[in-house]
Amino acid sequence: MNSIAILDFGSQYAQIIARRVRESNVYCELFAWDAPQEKIFSINPKGFILSGGPKSVYEENAPFIQDFIFASNLPILGICYGMQALTHALGGKVNPSSEREYGFAEISSLVSSSLVSNLSTVWMSHGDKVTQLPQGFISLAKSGNSPYAAMGNLEKKYFGVQFHPEVHHTKNGIELIKHFVVDICNVKPTWTPNSIIDESVQKIREQVGNQKVLAAVSGGVDSSVATALVHKAVGEQLICMFVDTGLLRHNESLEVATAFRDGLGAELITIDASKEFLSALKNVTDPEQKRKIVGEKFIRIFERESKRLGSDIKFLVQGTIYPDVVESSASNQSKSEKIKTHHNVGGLPEDMSFELVEPLRMLFKDEVRLVGEALGLNEHLVWRQPFPGPGLTVRCLGEITPERVSRLRAADKILQDELLGAGFLGKHGKTSQAFAVLLPVKSVGVMGDGRTYQEAVAIRAVTTDDFMTADWARLPHELLAKVSSRIVNEVEGINRVVYDITSKPPATIEWE
């Protein structure tokens, strides 16, 4: 399969570039700018996209374009810093701009039928700019601050744009990216849910052979779709196991068991480990420690229970997706700074006895849902609200106790019921994710004629396409008022409700 290699120079938008390429039905992968040639060429790229980045090309140890990229004679699209790196490498000049451009800008196309001919309003974010084009390049567009807002060497198929076509602020930016990858790089747009399924099934069969496979089912979208893919690949070799951690949402254990029996026709082994998890988390308040404890406890339970089944199970299925990988570590595929440990990426014990099967590892959340639909999974299961593997652990800030978890579960159930009734949940709902967070904060309140000193709950609701970035949902005030009133009146121990209006970035979607 042909693809596009995206080289990450440290841009906050690098993953969004990958999303836009995938939206064009073209497969791509994100690599560090200094990744080795054999790794980059392992995906058979037909072109390169160079991301933006925070450096100046003249800084010491600034990222640069490796020689083998040019030696490949493949098309190149440089974005922001990528354009400047391309200019610098080919003998042009880059200088600090007297007027930095941040935000919306207007550009004028200088060449008809070019890469940028359908663009006018774009999103800029740079301090340096190209002041002299490399030999063989022409200016494709100009802005009020630069005569070289876009450039191209039409013979070599090298292009650079000073703006960010990958963000929604650039109108028609996705068409630019699609034009580059499909028309200029000549990659056929064959990356579809069905092709993803076919390729995944083949890889799963090659990895596991005729061995038994254990699926760690959490009830979330990711683990469900991953399990369905493996079930399609190996059938009865798959054993599905659901661990009830005691940290689940209301009635979740029953819903998951029903969904798997009805949707997959697969029997589910349910393990009640709630006492084990709550005991292991006692007196633990640090969020990273919580995640590591949950991750290790999951693995130890799977190891123990697989032995009880009398089978030598070597493989464990997990619903790891691309945002998990990006947020968990500065991997060899990305220069992104570590944000947090996901229990199924960086929180697993090194000495576990399983080899992981992760068929969704390179997929974004929306791609996972589309694959789930193509597999015929129940719509309710595919479009469930995302739920973290560590469960309510990461939404119950501070100490984990049965009483606090029960309090949080009740508050979250009220929120879910009211959002569902108002049309804010589900496939066509107006929010992408919504949940309650129990805060380790007490405040004074008045109930009846008495003074209270009880805990506070934060409501979090966001809208997003890819879960890499997100905006807070503008829920109606009347709806928020009803949720607040019900929580305070119906959940013992809570006397205050607040609403989180922070986007991602700077915040993450989850609080821990």
Side-chain angles (χ1 to χ4, degrees):
M1 179 178 63
N2 296 333
S3 64
I4 297 294
I6 301 169
L7 304 183
D8 183 6
F9 289 96
S11 171
Q12 61 179 318
Y13 300 136
Q15 293 80 30
I16 302 178
I17 299 172
R19 282 277 295 111
R20 301 299 172 247
V21 175
R22 299 277 186 91
E23 286 174 5
S24 302
N25 299 119
V26 170
Y27 182 72
C28 66
E29 285 191 27
L30 186 64
F31 300 93
W33 65 270
D34 56 354
Q37 179 176 353
E38 58 271 20
K39 187 170 186 64
I40 295 174
F41 278 86
S42 68
I43 67 169
N44 190 28
K46 293 302 178 185
F48 301 97
I49 297 179
L50 317 178
S51 83
K55 297 280 190 178
S56 168
V57 294
Y58 295 115
E59 285 185 36
E60 187 178 358
N61 298 320
F64 59 90
I65 304 169
Q66 300 186 80
D67 290 340
F68 64 80
I69 301 297
F70 294 117
S72 71
N73 292 317
L74 293 173
I76 298 174
L77 171 61
I79 296 174
C80 198
Y81 181 90
M83 174 183 177
Q84 296 163 15
L86 187 63
T87 300
H88 182 57
L90 297 177
K93 291 184 178 179
V94 178
N95 292 106
S97 176
S98 58
E99 294 182 16
R100 298 188 175 191
E101 286 187 302
Y102 293 104
F104 288 108
E106 296 296 323
I107 66 169
S108 301
S109 177
L110 301 175
V111 179
S112 61
S113 301
S114 76
L115 191 70
V116 296
S117 56
N118 292 324
L119 276 70
S120 56
T121 302
V122 300
W123 185 261
M124 295 281 193
S125 181
H126 66 98
D128 293 349
K129 68 178 181 181
V130 174
T131 55
Q132 180 181 316
L133 295 178
Q135 186 175 356
F137 280 76
I138 61 173
S139 179
L140 301 179
K142 64 179 181 179
S143 70
N145 191 39
S146 174
Y148 310 125
M151 67 179 192
N153 182 321
L154 306 186
E155 181 182 351
K156 289 184 173 293
K157 297 183 179 179
Y158 292 170
F159 300 92
V161 294
Q162 190 59 74
F163 52 88
H164 289 274
E166 69 272 26
V167 300
H168 285 302
H169 303 80
T170 297
K171 188 177 180 181
N172 298 325
I174 189 172
E175 282 79 4
L176 182 154
I177 292 174
K178 184 175 183 179
H179 178 50
F180 175 75
V181 300
V182 174
D183 300 323
I184 294 175
C185 298
N186 292 317
V187 180
K188 293 182 179 179
T190 57
W191 180 251
T192 64
N194 286 329
S195 73
I196 295 171
I197 292 170
D198 292 341
E199 184 176 340
S200 297
V201 166
Q202 180 182 346
K203 287 182 177 179
I204 292 165
R205 288 172 178 168
E206 290 174 354
Q207 181 182 5
V208 307
N210 59 2
Q211 298 282 330
K212 289 283 187 181
V213 185
L214 178 65
V217 177
S218 70
V221 178
D222 306 327
S223 71
S224 299
V225 175
T227 300
L229 269 173
V230 177
H231 186 262
K232 182 177 178 65
V234 302
E236 294 183 359
Q237 292 172 228
L238 177 68
I239 300 171
C240 301
M241 186 176 293
F242 176 66
V243 176
D244 187 344
T245 62
L247 302 162
L248 303 174
R249 292 171 289 194
H250 178 78
N251 210 28
E252 188 145 35
S253 183
L254 177 61
E255 289 182 6
V256 170
T258 301
F260 266 77
R261 293 188 182 108
D262 295 346
L264 280 181
E267 199 62 34
L268 196 66
I269 299 173
T270 300
I271 309 298
D272 185 357
S274 54
K275 290 182 179 179
E276 290 184 62
F277 277 88
L278 289 170
S279 175
L281 290 164
K282 187 175 182 180
N283 297 323
V284 177
T285 59
D286 178 73
E288 281 293 290
Q289 191 178 357
K290 287 181 185 178
R291 288 177 178 273
K292 289 184 180 296
I293 287 172
V294 170
E296 179 164 7
K297 181 62 65 176
F298 264 119
I299 293 300
R300 299 310 177 206
I301 289 173
F302 290 137
E303 290 173 340
R304 182 187 71 205
E305 297 301 325
S306 65
K307 290 179 182 177
R308 288 184 182 177
L309 293 172
S311 302
D312 183 18
I313 301 174
K314 178 181 178 182
F315 296 97
L316 176 68
V317 181
Q318 286 210 127
T320 309
I321 65 173
Y322 197 38
D324 296 339
V325 177
V326 171
E327 290 188 349
S328 289
S329 65
S331 70
N332 59 6
Q333 287 180 304
S334 173
K335 291 296 185 183
S336 301
E337 182 179 351
K338 175 177 175 179
I339 298 171
K340 59 186 177 184
T341 298
H342 285 264
H343 86 286
N344 55 349
V345 181
L348 299 179
E350 294 182 2
D351 63 341
M352 69 177 181
S353 62
F354 295 111
E355 179 181 327
L356 293 180
V357 179
E358 298 175 302
L360 310 179
R361 189 177 177 87
M362 295 305 294
L363 300 186
F364 290 98
K365 178 74 76 173
D366 60 317
E367 292 175 315
V368 172
R369 293 193 196 276
L370 292 174
V371 168
E373 288 186 326
L375 285 167
L377 290 179
N378 182 280
E379 182 178 297
H380 174 70
L381 188 64
V382 173
W383 290 92
R384 291 189 77 193
Q385 287 280 296
F387 190 57
L392 296 179
T393 309
V394 295
R395 296 177 181 175
C396 186
L397 276 59
E399 185 180 3
I400 305 294
T401 67
E403 295 76 20
R404 295 191 77 230
V405 171
S406 178
R407 193 173 296 151
L408 172 59
R409 184 181 292 117
D412 188 72
K413 177 64 165 57
I414 290 171
L415 174 66
Q416 302 299 323
D417 286 348
E418 292 299 333
L419 291 179
L420 182 63
F424 281 86
L425 296 183
K427 181 176 181 179
H428 303 293
K430 302 171 186 176
T431 62
S432 304
Q433 188 171 1
F435 52 89
V437 181
L438 187 64
L439 306 180
V441 174
K442 289 187 176 182
S443 64
V444 174
V446 177
M447 291 186 180
D449 293 324
R451 176 187 182 275
T452 62
Y453 189 59
Q454 298 177 340
E455 291 189 295
V457 157
I459 301 301
R460 180 73 157 146
V462 300
T463 59
T464 178
D465 292 325
D466 50 31
F467 290 85
M468 296 301 301
T469 62
D471 194 14
W472 61 279
R474 272 60 171 177
L475 298 181
H477 292 178
E478 296 79 7
L479 177 59
L480 288 170
K482 188 174 183 181
V483 170
S484 175
S485 178
R486 283 196 59 192
I487 290 176
V488 170
N489 283 292
E490 298 175 29
V491 182
E492 186 177 352
I494 296 175
N495 69 352
R496 191 176 297 270
V497 177
V498 298
Y499 188 49
D500 182 350
I501 59 169
T502 318
S503 62
K504 174 189 179 181
T508 55
I509 294 177
E510 298 285 348
W511 277 47
E512 285 195 345

